[in-house]
Amino acid sequence: GTSLYQLHPFCNKMSCPVLPTGLGEDYWSMEDILAGQERIPCKIEQTLYRLGFLSTHSGEEHLVPGTKMEVPLWLARSLCTRKRQVISVSLPKSYREGMRVALSADANVVNLYRNGPYYYSVGVSLLNFDLPEKGDLAKCLLEAFVKRFRGIMDSSQNAYQLDLTQLTSNLDEMERYLFTQGQQALNKQIQWEQGKGQKIKTSSLVEGSRKRKRDT
C-alpha cells in the first residue's frame, strides 16, 4: 500500500514548494527553513556544559540529563539520531492522540493551519525519530491528506472569482498550494472555452517536413 513517505517523490514531480520534509530537505527552500523552525518538545540525555541559559526554567549553568525544553526541528534532527542521542524527542501537542482522534473522526473540519502552517511537512519529519507513536502518526497523516484532498480540489474547481479566504483558512501550506494549482487549471480551462487561450500552431517539425516535400 501507499505510505506517507511515498508522497515525497510524488510532490517533487509536481514542483510543490512545500514538501513532506525529512527525506533530504532542499537547502535553498524557504518553506523547508520555516518548517524547520517548529518547536519540538525534548528531554536532555547528556550534560551540555555552559548551555543552561537555553532553558528558561532551570536557572543552572549546565543543561543536565532530564531537563525538559523545546528546540527547533532542524536542531532536533542533529541532536537526536541513531548514532547520536544528545536529546530524546516527544510529539508536539498537535500530533498527539487527541489531534489524531479529531483527524480520524472528521479530517475536513480540522483547522490544520492553526496547528501549524507546515503541518504535513513537520509531521513527516517527526517520523524520522524513534517514537512509539510514529506508526499511528504516519497512518493518520496519510488518511487525513487523502480525505481532505478531494474536498480541496472540489472547492478549487467551484470557486471561480470568489473570495478564497474562507475556503483556504483551515488549509496548511501544501494544501493551499494544491488549491492554487486547481484554481489555475480552472482559469486556463475557462479561458480556453472563451477562446482566450493560445491558438494552436503547426509544429515546426511538421512545417519543416512540408517544406522538404515541396522542395523535392
Side-chain angles (χ1 to χ4, degrees):
T2 304
S3 71
L4 197 63
Y5 288 112
Q6 290 173 296
L7 291 178
H8 188 270
F10 169 72
C11 289
N12 267 331
K13 293 176 183 177
M14 297 194 304
S15 300
C16 179
V18 183
L19 306 178
T21 56
L23 302 179
E25 296 79 3
D26 182 357
Y27 181 81
W28 303 106
S29 168
M30 182 57 69
E31 286 78 16
D32 276 341
I33 293 172
L34 292 173
Q37 300 302 312
E38 181 75 16
R39 308 292 290 184
I40 307 299
C42 70
K43 184 172 70 172
I44 304 299
E45 299 293 344
Q46 301 178 21
T47 301
L48 300 176
Y49 296 99
R50 297 184 179 85
L51 293 179
F53 65 91
L54 293 176
S55 174
T56 56
H57 306 293
S58 68
E60 302 290 337
E61 181 181 2
H62 312 300
L63 285 177
V64 297
T67 302
K68 294 183 178 181
M69 56 187 298
E70 292 184 342
V71 299
L73 176 58
W74 64 265
L75 183 58
R77 291 193 193 109
S78 300
L79 298 180
C80 185
T81 65
R82 290 182 179 178
K83 295 182 178 179
R84 183 189 188 198
Q85 195 165 27
V86 179
I87 63 173
S88 57
V89 169
S90 57
L91 289 178
K93 184 178 180 180
S94 322
Y95 299 91
R96 293 176 191 168
E97 185 178 7
M99 182 63 172
R100 298 199 301 270
V101 169
L103 285 171
S104 298
D106 191 350
N108 291 305
V109 302
V110 177
N111 190 327
L112 283 191
Y113 194 87
R114 187 182 300 161
N115 286 279
Y118 300 95
Y119 190 82
Y120 292 112
S121 298
V122 173
V124 174
S125 281
L126 291 171
L127 301 181
N128 289 314
F129 298 111
D130 189 18
L131 297 167
E133 312 100 318
K134 74 177 185 178
D136 293 335
L137 177 60
K139 180 181 178 182
C140 176
L141 290 173
L142 181 58
E143 289 179 349
F145 178 80
V146 171
K147 289 176 182 176
R148 291 165 64 95
F149 178 75
R150 182 172 182 175
I152 291 167
M153 299 316 293
D154 283 348
S155 297
S156 71
Q157 296 296 296
N158 293 284
Y160 186 64
Q161 293 183 339
L162 296 178
D163 180 12
L164 306 180
T165 306
Q166 284 293 107
L167 292 174
T168 61
S169 61
N170 72 333
L171 307 182
D172 97 320
E173 290 293 348
M174 185 169 73
E175 292 176 328
R176 291 183 180 189
Y177 170 78
L178 295 173
F179 184 92
T180 301
Q181 290 296 100
Q183 281 273 288
Q184 291 177 358
L186 174 63
N187 291 336
K188 288 179 181 179
Q189 179 183 345
I190 292 173
Q191 289 175 1
W192 179 79
E193 290 173 348
Q194 295 175 346
K196 298 179 181 179
Q198 293 182 348
K199 293 183 178 180
I200 299 176
K201 298 181 180 179
T202 304
S203 167
S204 58
L205 293 175
V206 175
E207 286 285 359
S209 176
R210 289 176 179 175
K211 183 178 181 182
R212 286 194 297 273
K213 287 182 179 179
R214 288 197 299 266
D215 293 341
T216 53

